Structures are given as structure tokens and as C-alpha cells.
Amino acid sequence: MNLISIKSDKGSSIDNVFYANKTLSRLKGLLGQSSLTMQQGLLIAPCNSVHTLGMKFDIDVIFLDKNNKVVKIKKSVKPIRMTSCFRSKKVLELASGSAEYNNISIGDLLSW
């Protein structure tokens, strides 16, 4: 997985995001992680649904369309849950509370 920095059109950035764009890295996701900081995350592409089976912590899930526009946010998704957005082409997983902390909202445009 490559390490990237994600920036929003509002000027905020998340500096340590792993980019999972290969089959194995997409399947593994955040499994095995015990936590994330507010400046860490995982960008999964292509992706329009995620599960938190085997996770040890809550996450914020940001769904992005083909233009990297935020189309849906699910905050504090608990372990053993599933969420999806069929318009989504990519998913950004962050620590619970990170979407608000980094001022990310629906309609924002993200880049990396």
C-alpha cells in the first residue's frame, strides 16, 4: 500500500493515508490495526461498501464519487457492521470523529 496525503477543497489535510488499490490490500483493509489517529486513514479504490467485521474500533466512513466528491458520510461505524453507497467509487476510512475533526462534509472535493 502506498502512503498518501489527502487534502480537501476547504484546506484541511490528512497526512498519513494508506491507498489500497490492489486486491489484497483492499481485502485486508484496517484488519489488524488497533487504532487510528486523527491524521491516519485508509483510502480504498474501487469500493462502494465496507464492513467492520474483525475491527477493534469505530471508524468514520467517507464515500467518494468518481470525481472524489464526498457523497455520503457514516460517522462512528461500530465493529461488526456494514455500510454502502452505490454512487461511490472510493471509500475513505478514518478514526471515529476524524470527519468532523478534519471538517469534511458532503459536497467537499478531496484530492491526493
Side-chain angles (χ1 to χ4, degrees), residues 24-49:
L24 289 178
S25 59
R26 287 175 35 228
L27 286 173
K28 183 176 186 246
L30 292 173
L31 291 175
Q33 298 289 324
S34 58
S35 66
L36 289 174
T37 70
M38 295 294 186
Q39 284 296 307
Q40 293 177 311
L42 177 71
L43 179 65
I44 307 168
C47 185
N48 65 6
S49 67

Side-chain angles (χ1 to χ4, degrees), residues 8-76:
S8 81
D9 57 352
K10 292 186 218 169
S12 64
S13 67
I14 303 168
D15 296 323
N16 295 303
V17 178
F18 287 101
Y19 187 30
N21 61 347
K22 303 224 183 318
T23 303
L24 289 178
S25 59
R26 287 175 35 228
L27 286 173
K28 183 176 186 246
L30 292 173
L31 291 175
Q33 298 289 324
S34 58
S35 66
L36 289 174
T37 70
M38 295 294 186
Q39 284 296 307
Q40 293 177 311
L42 177 71
L43 179 65
I44 307 168
C47 185
N48 65 6
S49 67
V50 296
H51 68 79
T52 56
L53 299 172
M55 298 279 296
K56 299 175 182 168
F57 54 96
D58 298 358
I59 59 172
D60 287 351
V61 181
I62 316 293
F63 293 95
L64 307 172
D65 70 8
K66 65 181 179 180
N67 299 312
N68 303 325
K69 180 177 159 184
V70 176
V71 293
K72 181 178 178 181
I73 299 174
K74 288 294 285 185
K75 296 180 181 179
S76 297

